[in-house]
Amino acid sequence: MVGEMAQGTWNAGSLAQAVVMLNLLALTDAAHKSDLSSETSGAVINHSSMLIHRLQELLQNGNSSDTTLRVHTTNSDEVKIIHAHQLLLSLHSDIFEGLLLNQSVLTLQEPADCAVLFEKFIRYFYCGEISVHLNQAVPLHRLASKYHVSALQRGVSEYMKTHLASESTQGHVVSWYHYALRMGDEGLQESCLKFLAWNLSTVISSSEWVTVSDDLMVSLLQRSDLVLQNEIELFSAVEEWISKNNPDVPIIEKVLRSIRYAMISPSQLFQIQKQSTVLATYHSSVQDLFFQAFQFHSASPLHFAKYFDVNCSMFVPRNYLSSSWGSQWIINNPARDDRSLSFQTQLGPSNHDSTKKITWNALFSPRWLPVSLRPVYSESVSGASQSNRLDEGKPRLVVTSAMSGLEFAGVTFQKTVLVGVRRQQGKVFVKHVYNVHQSTDEVSDFLVHADLQKRTSEYLIDNSLHLHIIIKPIYHSLIKAK
Ligand SMILES: *[C@@H]1O[C@H](CO)[C@@H](O)[C@H](O)[C@H]1NC(C)=O
Ligand SMILES: *[C@@H]1O[C@H](CO)[C@@H](O)[C@H](O)[C@H]1NC(C)=O
Ligand SMILES: *[C@@H]1O[C@H](CO)[C@@H](O)[C@H](O)[C@H]1NC(C)=O
Ligand SMILES: *[C@@H]1O[C@H](CO)[C@@H](O)[C@H](O)[C@H]1NC(C)=O
Ligand SMILES: *[C@@H]1O[C@H](CO)[C@@H](O)[C@H](O)[C@H]1NC(C)=O
């Protein structure tokens, strides 16, 4: 069973309002009159839940039905008959309105997964409420789109965006992405892509990975924000995807050329060159990239940059979780006070620098204020307003090198901060990715909605904030020596 755990319910505001209006017209005529005479003694008599109940009974019993829906399941002789009411169908759907102009019996064709939900879908027209499970989201969205029930369509789309991280046995985000692409729902598409990119390690190891389409694979591999252990993990996953899917040769060449070979150590490069069955076949498509990667490893990146263009994605690190690239930082009780952490990374991915390390100092402040806003300790400022001021501070993280003189022409060290939050069954998933040069002041939204003081904050896992800091050397092209 997929998605037993995650479901959502919402009300369609527009119907609820319409219902309340009908309700008040029908039932509070007398009250309304007295309202006019004296404003102060006015009251609302609210029977809207009773009205909704009656409307549902109308559907259940088919009383005064003026419309019959005959729902055929595609590729089956199953037919569902629903006795409905033109007024309610037309209220939500201009498609039904049009269909019902000159006929009262509608014959509809629906694929099996939609046909199963059809009664539930029609019930929504009568009460403005519907429950959704993970595996019902796509067929429900399809029905809402087909019949132009736009509030429901938006509602299901929103449900999908907020349930990407929900537990499901086969995974659902890849299929939701493909669906969003077909429907042209760009918001949902973007949310799915981000989720897949930021939790790629998990997706790679799930059965969902082989269902990734050619286009999705190509767009994922172009991203520099993929979160995964290291580039070799991505290469192995792409290799598996190729052997299970047998895509067309141009796609194979394109995805193999999207691997950032320079980010893989020379010994591992040598190994995959010898052992990979996919590379044995497509060796010639990536030969130039391998050669360039070996060259990159044999010189300092700055020396290399004099002769080759380093301003291309091959030399841009992704968000690697392995320890040579950065450090996890779990901050217990983060609202309490400032905390610091020291950690080491490699100087860069080039094998030329493999023995060189850099030490970094990170400082986290839960309520940091710029100097100009800090309380002045003078007689005139009361204690109360000082503590108010402190509450106004924002979380801030600064990462600096412990070594002085770490400024090389042509290199900047970008710091990427991943923020993890809890998902069902205790797993962590990446909620935010922030890229900064030194301090999170550079971005306006660092943990702005985190509510670190509240124990119930979505950002706290067992009262701890889960951060992961990644240090990425970014090389800039120097003027080429001729
Ligand atoms: C009427 O009652 C329903 C619940 O029965 C409630 O949701 C709705 O807000 C109420 N309307 C007003 C105008 O108070
Ligand atoms: C609806 O129909 C059922 C049975 O056909 C009947 O018992 C019930 O009283 C009807 N309700 C209304 C509100 O007319
Ligand atoms: C009215 O019904 C006929 C068939 O019964 C159909 O061809 C025609 O398109 C319908 N017109 C409208 C406006 O729905
Ligand atoms: C690097 O490439 C990007 C686009 O590929 C371009 O916008 C940028 O100007 C280039 N930078 C340098 C220093 O060449
Ligand atoms: C998301 O990614 C994080 C690390 O990036 C991983 O620990 C977690 O298990 C992933 N969760 C999901 C739901 O993919």
Side-chain angles (χ1 to χ4, degrees):
M1 290 288 279
V2 178
E4 281 300 281
M5 326 213 6
Q7 63 166 295
T9 302
W10 68 88
N11 285 292
S14 55
L15 178 62
Q17 272 163 21
V19 157
V20 169
M21 274 173 58
L22 287 171
N23 186 18
L24 291 177
L25 283 177
L27 299 169
T28 64
D29 205 29
H32 186 69
K33 274 180 197 139
S34 65
D35 243 19
L36 289 179
S37 56
S38 119
E39 295 256 317
T40 50
S41 60
V44 175
I45 296 170
N46 185 354
H47 296 153
S48 65
S49 57
M50 181 178 79
L51 177 66
I52 287 174
H53 185 72
R54 291 232 169 125
L55 284 170
Q56 280 182 259
E57 268 184 358
L58 217 54
L59 176 64
Q60 248 160 35
N61 301 328
N63 300 28
S64 24
S65 159
D66 54 5
T67 302
T68 304
L69 305 177
R70 299 176 55 86
V71 186
H72 291 255
T73 304
T74 312
N75 297 328
S76 137
D77 9 309
E78 207 178 312
V79 182
K80 252 195 206 90
I81 310 281
I82 301 173
H83 296 287
H85 303 80
Q86 186 176 354
L87 174 71
L88 283 148
L89 296 182
S90 305
L91 194 62
H92 292 272
S93 158
D94 58 356
I95 298 290
F96 274 126
E97 188 176 20
L99 290 171
L100 290 168
L101 274 183
N102 67 354
Q103 51 194 333
S104 61
V105 179
L106 296 184
T107 303
L108 308 168
Q109 280 286 347
E110 296 300 341
D113 56 347
C114 292
V116 161
L117 295 175
F118 212 88
E119 277 169 305
K120 193 171 156 132
F121 173 60
I122 295 299
R123 186 178 159 272
Y124 166 87
F125 286 59
Y126 289 75
C127 65
E129 188 189 278
I130 194 161
S131 64
V132 202
H133 292 285
L134 286 179
N135 56 348
Q136 296 171 331
V138 165
L140 203 55
H141 192 279
R142 201 181 284 139
L143 284 174
S145 310
K146 177 174 173 185
Y147 294 100
H148 292 185
V149 187
S150 51
L152 182 60
Q153 197 182 344
R154 279 196 304 276
V156 180
S157 191
E158 204 46 49
Y159 164 86
M160 290 163 98
K161 280 185 216 163
T162 51
H163 286 78
L164 294 170
S166 294
E167 199 68 38
S168 65
T169 42
Q170 294 112 9
H172 51 280
V173 182
V174 170
S175 62
W176 284 4
Y177 171 82
H178 292 145
Y179 174 74
L181 188 67
R182 274 204 308 280
M183 299 301 289
D185 186 334
E186 284 175 15
L188 181 57
Q189 219 173 302
E190 188 47 40
S191 301
C192 291
L193 257 185
K194 246 190 204 166
F195 181 86
L196 294 172
W198 294 358
N199 283 279
L200 200 68
S201 281
T202 317
V203 179
I204 281 174
S205 55
S206 76
S207 55
E208 228 179 343
W209 181 244
V210 294
T211 69
V212 168
S213 65
D214 295 358
D215 288 347
L216 176 55
M217 185 61 71
V218 168
S219 25
L220 275 176
L221 291 180
Q222 274 159 7
R223 296 179 74 121
S224 295
D225 63 348
L226 302 182
V227 176
L228 70 176
Q229 284 304 311
N230 47 42
E231 193 73 12
I232 195 90
E233 182 186 24
L234 188 60
F235 175 80
S236 310
V238 164
E239 204 183 16
E240 184 205 351
W241 179 82
I242 291 174
S243 26
K244 295 236 167 96
N245 283 282
N246 275 319
D248 295 342
V249 173
I251 295 291
I252 297 181
E253 291 183 343
K254 193 158 189 183
V255 298
L256 284 178
R257 289 187 69 82
S258 305
I259 298 291
R260 304 185 176 175
Y261 296 101
M263 299 295 129
I264 300 177
S265 75
S267 56
Q268 282 175 321
L269 280 177
F270 189 60
Q271 207 171 358
I272 57 175
Q273 223 177 7
K274 282 190 306 182
Q275 291 175 353
S276 157
T277 49
V278 170
L279 279 187
T281 316
Y282 295 97
H283 176 67
S284 59
S285 320
V286 291
Q287 210 169 3
D288 58 325
L289 299 179
F290 265 75
F291 185 60
Q292 220 180 5
F294 281 122
Q295 283 178 312
F296 172 76
H297 284 303
S298 57
S300 84
L302 298 180
H303 191 206
F304 181 82
K306 286 191 190 145
Y307 301 95
F308 301 98
D309 180 14
V310 286
N311 185 31
C312 64
S313 59
M314 169 130 158
F315 302 103
V316 177
R318 308 187 204 256
N319 293 322
Y320 303 123
L321 298 171
S322 68
S323 60
S324 49
W325 290 92
S327 173
Q328 190 182 41
W329 191 8
I330 297 175
I331 305 175
N332 187 252
N333 202 354
R336 204 181 63 213
D337 47 25
D338 291 7
R339 267 7 115 71
S340 64
L341 171 79
S342 281
F343 60 96
Q344 275 199 332
T345 62
Q346 59 190 0
L347 175 63
S350 167
N351 193 59
H352 181 268
D353 296 329
S354 64
T355 55
K356 298 179 190 127
K357 302 264 184 278
I358 309 181
T359 303
W360 300 94
N361 292 326
L363 178 70
F364 175 78
S365 315
R367 283 176 300 275
W368 182 83
L369 279 176
V371 176
S372 61
L373 291 179
R374 280 185 204 156
V376 180
Y377 291 95
S378 70
E379 303 284 314
S380 61
V381 180
S382 77
S385 79
Q386 269 183 31
S387 63
N388 279 347
R389 273 284 179 77
L390 282 177
D391 287 342
E392 283 163 18
K394 290 195 307 186
R396 178 203 204 216
L397 179 68
V398 179
V399 183
T400 48
S401 157
M403 281 173 239
S404 56
L406 191 68
E407 299 299 318
F408 307 111
V411 187
T412 47
F413 288 92
Q414 180 184 305
K415 286 87 185 180
T416 296
V417 184
L418 310 180
V419 180
V421 299
R422 186 201 292 278
R423 83 177 223 173
Q424 286 167 9
Q425 306 199 342
K427 286 197 201 148
V428 178
F429 81 100
V430 175
K431 172 104 175 171
H432 294 290
V433 174
Y434 299 100
N435 295 317
V436 300
H437 285 112
Q438 188 170 63
S439 155
T440 55
D441 289 348
E442 299 158 25
V443 293
S444 58
D445 59 340
F446 181 64
L447 296 178
V448 275
H449 302 298
D451 272 336
L452 296 178
Q453 285 84 351
K454 289 210 191 96
R455 279 188 161 261
T456 53
S457 167
E458 185 195 1
Y459 290 77
L460 297 183
I461 305 169
D462 299 328
N463 207 28
S464 298
L465 179 64
H466 283 235
L467 303 178
H468 195 112
I469 306 172
I470 301 167
I471 309 287
K472 299 188 242 183
I474 307 288
Y475 307 112
H476 306 283
S477 290
L478 303 177
I479 295 159
K480 277 188 199 163
K482 290 277 169 182

